[in-house]
Amino acid sequence: MTVYAGQGDPDRSLALLWSGEEPRTGRSGPKPGLSVDAIVSAGIAVADAEGMSALSMRAVGERLGRTAMALYTYVPGKAELLDLMHDRVLAELPGKLPLSDDWRAAVTAWAEDLYACYLRHPWVLQVSQARPVLGPAELTAMERLLAALQPAALAPERLRGAVAALWQFVRGTAATTADARGAAAATGVADEDWWNARSARLAELAPDFPQRFPLLTALQSAGGGAPEDSGREAFRTGLAVLLDGVASGAGS
């Protein structure tokens, strides 16, 4: 399920993202009994607990003990709410890093923070990056990465490539880990049972598997820890390899 951000009215969405309220219309009305912050928090709670497919103005209203109609005084609709939720989640990231000449350590800290944030809120991974939210937290996260990479003195074209590769790497590995965590609950089959059933049948159908796929067999024989540990190790190892590539262009 892919959801596109930025589908609401741009004036209203950006006003809510940057000032916490919509542009004033000159209309008067009753004193608000809710707040944008409360609605966004409730939306995140719904998505964290039940996934993106469960998110609706009605579901958020029920969590707050209100009707969906009561929310529209504060947030125009689901599209704007999603933008606010996305930016609120990214606001959990540290705003600044203790910068030094060790750009690898700074980028690693940025990547680990973002990876952990995605796993706390895996529904965020369903929000397409094709059109950014353009909220302050999203842009702060980008600014933080650029600041971390600054000591590497990359040429502009390499810097753009490094930023894109790093962000997509973190999203991709987090998505794989999140999917692995949710597979058993979604399918009703434990990971161990799934692999055991298919491994036994594959051995029957392809008894020459080691000869046909020697490199894959060797890699599998090297083993690994539990799926969760393997996911973390793949993230850390892959990030180190990616940073080696970034380092090859440092100072150029």
Side-chain angles (χ1 to χ4, degrees):
M1 178 182 179
T2 299
V3 179
Y4 289 95
Q7 294 193 70
D9 178 83
D11 289 339
R12 303 174 81 179
S13 288
L14 291 173
L16 284 166
L17 282 164
W18 288 89
S19 68
E21 60 183 17
E22 290 196 71
R24 297 191 177 278
T25 62
R27 294 177 294 176
S28 61
K31 184 177 180 179
L34 283 173
S35 68
V36 172
D37 282 347
I39 293 169
V40 174
S41 295
I44 291 172
V46 169
D48 284 350
E50 304 176 56
M52 180 71 82
S53 61
L55 181 66
S56 68
M57 297 298 278
R58 179 178 179 180
V60 175
E62 288 177 351
R63 182 168 285 267
L64 292 167
R66 303 295 183 95
T67 65
M69 289 301 298
L71 308 185
Y72 293 116
T73 302
Y74 311 88
V75 179
K78 180 180 173 180
E80 291 83 2
L81 176 59
L82 180 63
D83 288 356
L84 293 167
M85 290 166 54
H86 183 277
D87 210 59
R88 169 76 69 80
V89 163
L90 291 182
E92 296 176 9
L93 300 172
K96 292 184 178 180
L97 287 169
L99 299 179
S100 69
D101 290 336
D102 189 354
W103 63 266
R104 289 185 68 122
V107 173
T108 298
W110 173 89
E112 289 180 344
D113 288 339
L114 184 60
Y115 181 78
C117 181
Y118 282 145
L119 292 183
R120 287 194 300 273
H121 310 285
W123 55 269
V124 176
L125 294 163
Q126 295 175 256
V127 180
S128 172
Q129 296 294 283
R131 294 178 177 176
V133 170
L134 298 179
E138 182 181 58
L139 297 180
T140 296
M142 181 65 72
E143 185 76 6
R144 181 184 175 216
L145 175 56
L146 289 170
L149 284 167
Q150 194 169 28
L154 298 171
E157 62 276 9
R158 292 189 67 91
L159 178 60
R160 281 190 288 270
V163 167
L166 285 163
W167 203 296
Q168 291 305 315
F169 170 78
V170 176
R171 277 182 62 92
T173 51
T176 299
T177 300
D179 287 347
R181 287 180 174 182
T187 64
V189 180
D191 284 347
E192 185 176 0
D193 294 337
W194 190 91
W195 280 107
N196 287 340
R198 281 155 181 77
S199 295
R201 184 59 177 149
L202 189 58
E204 295 174 1
L205 294 171
D208 60 343
F209 189 95
Q211 290 74 42
R212 293 175 65 182
F213 306 102
L215 299 179
L216 180 58
T217 299
L219 183 61
Q220 291 174 328
S221 298
E228 189 73 14
D229 295 332
S230 297
R232 283 194 294 268
E233 184 61 28
F235 169 74
R236 291 167 182 160
T237 302
L239 179 61
V241 171
L242 183 53
L243 293 182
D244 286 343
V246 175
S248 70
S252 61

